[in-house]
Amino acid sequence: MNFETKTYVVNLRRSRERRLDMKTKLESENVNFEFFEAVDGKLECHELFERYDRRRSLRNHGFELSAGELGCYASHFLLWEKSIQENINMLILEDDIDLCQNFTAAMEFAEQEIKRFGLIRFSAHKHRKIAICKKSETGMRIVRFKRGPHGTSAYMISPVAAKKLVNAAKVWFEPVDVHLDRFWKHGVGSFGVQPYPVHHMEMSAAKSEIWQGERRGSRSAKFRREARLIRMKDSILRSLANIAYTGRWIE
């Protein structure tokens, strides 16, 4: 199946089983795609890691980014740059996902709307309140999330949105999915297509290269006190960015 949007699967060179698994899944849907070799934060110190501000990460979030998280950030960042340079829409997929029956239909629907919405997520790790923005004849819909739904498992992005994300990522201090969630900062709206055409595999140390889970250390009382001000500021800015959707939120 041919789309103007280019599909890339982010895959570590050492993750051969995932590579074969994604190849089987996408070929069964007749989707043209390319593998994009992910930056392996556990094996290399990429030049993009110079953007990482450890002290700000500790101050804002109470933890340091792991090597895997830095590699994940760099991989998505490089694809955003590629989207800008080649002036193309992209569907970016990580290699630990399952495709649902409406996957190709969702691709077609999102491709028709990507210029308007900029970034459309195909999955979400958190349940959020939504506002319905567009419905298709087949029952799919583009929704706006009240809060970022987390995750970079699958999303379509335009070069205009990619440029906004790149420009707002001069300093890295949070995981890349948190960067995507901060729509009030970079101006790229938090949209998704539902029913979700992609499911992220169960979060576990074995299945996710960037999984943190219980390995996160406990946060100090000092951090919790100082973080309240940061969260308060984010909450105000998020609310201001959501004003246009007042009265439209549903569960």
Side-chain angles (χ1 to χ4, degrees):
M1 187 170 295
N2 293 313
F3 293 94
E4 292 183 8
T5 299
K6 293 193 70 172
T7 300
Y8 287 95
V9 178
V10 182
N11 171 258
L12 291 169
R13 180 182 294 181
R14 56 185 164 87
S15 298
R16 296 189 180 92
E17 289 186 10
R18 290 187 183 187
R19 185 183 183 93
L20 291 173
D21 184 53
M22 286 300 298
K23 184 174 185 290
T24 299
K25 290 174 180 176
L26 289 168
E27 286 182 348
S28 70
E29 298 285 345
N30 295 317
V31 174
N32 294 323
F33 69 97
E34 295 179 25
F35 284 104
F36 182 82
E37 186 173 326
V39 175
D40 197 335
K42 297 179 181 179
L43 298 180
E44 63 177 302
C45 185
H46 196 278
E47 61 182 12
L48 282 171
F49 294 176
E50 295 178 4
R51 292 174 178 252
Y52 174 49
D53 187 333
R54 173 181 172 274
R55 294 177 66 179
R56 189 172 176 184
S57 181
L58 286 169
R59 186 181 74 237
N60 284 38
H61 299 287
F63 58 79
E64 297 182 45
L65 297 189
S66 69
E69 285 173 315
L70 287 173
C72 183
Y73 204 137
S75 301
H76 286 270
F77 188 93
L78 289 169
L79 281 168
W80 301 341
E81 288 190 322
K82 187 176 180 66
S83 171
I84 297 165
Q85 292 162 2
E86 299 182 13
N87 194 33
I88 55 171
N89 301 324
M90 284 185 179
L91 176 61
I92 299 174
L93 307 174
E94 294 182 348
D95 63 2
D96 53 351
I97 60 172
D98 283 325
L99 310 182
C100 302
Q101 291 183 344
N102 66 329
F103 180 74
T104 53
M107 281 185 68
E108 182 177 357
F109 182 39
E111 188 174 59
Q112 293 170 357
E113 302 296 334
I114 192 62
K115 185 176 181 180
R116 173 185 173 188
F117 294 106
L119 188 148
I120 301 174
R121 277 174 148 127
F122 278 42
S123 67
H125 288 189
K126 298 282 188 180
H127 176 76
R128 302 299 194 197
K129 288 185 177 181
I130 59 168
I132 299 172
C133 301
K134 176 81 175 184
K135 290 184 178 180
S136 74
E137 294 180 356
T138 59
M140 285 184 293
R141 59 192 189 180
I142 303 292
V143 302
R144 169 66 146 74
F145 300 104
K146 188 174 185 179
R147 294 175 60 112
H150 294 342
T152 52
S153 298
Y155 60 95
M156 188 176 289
I157 190 169
S158 73
V160 172
K163 188 173 183 178
K164 292 179 180 179
L165 293 179
V166 165
N167 288 342
K170 300 191 186 312
V171 179
W172 299 1
F173 58 94
E174 55 198 355
V176 65
D177 64 331
V178 178
H179 177 61
L180 255 63
D181 285 347
R182 295 168 67 84
F183 51 85
W184 61 93
K185 174 184 175 183
H186 45 61
V188 178
S190 189
F191 299 100
V193 59
Q194 293 181 345
Y196 295 124
V198 164
H199 286 160
H200 185 261
M201 292 181 183
E202 182 183 357
M203 294 292 283
S204 69
K207 292 187 178 181
S208 177
E209 297 291 347
I210 63 171
W211 183 82
Q212 290 293 312
E214 294 180 359
R215 288 204 296 267
R216 296 285 194 206
S218 60
R219 294 162 179 170
S220 68
K222 180 177 183 293
F223 163 76
R224 292 195 296 271
R225 288 194 300 271
E226 294 177 351
R228 289 194 190 101
L229 293 176
I230 295 172
R231 290 197 299 270
M232 185 181 299
K233 179 181 177 182
D234 283 346
S235 179
I236 292 170
L237 294 174
R238 183 191 303 113
S239 296
L240 290 173
N242 281 334
I243 284 177
Y245 298 90
T246 301
R248 296 174 58 186
W249 302 115
I250 60 175
E251 294 291 341

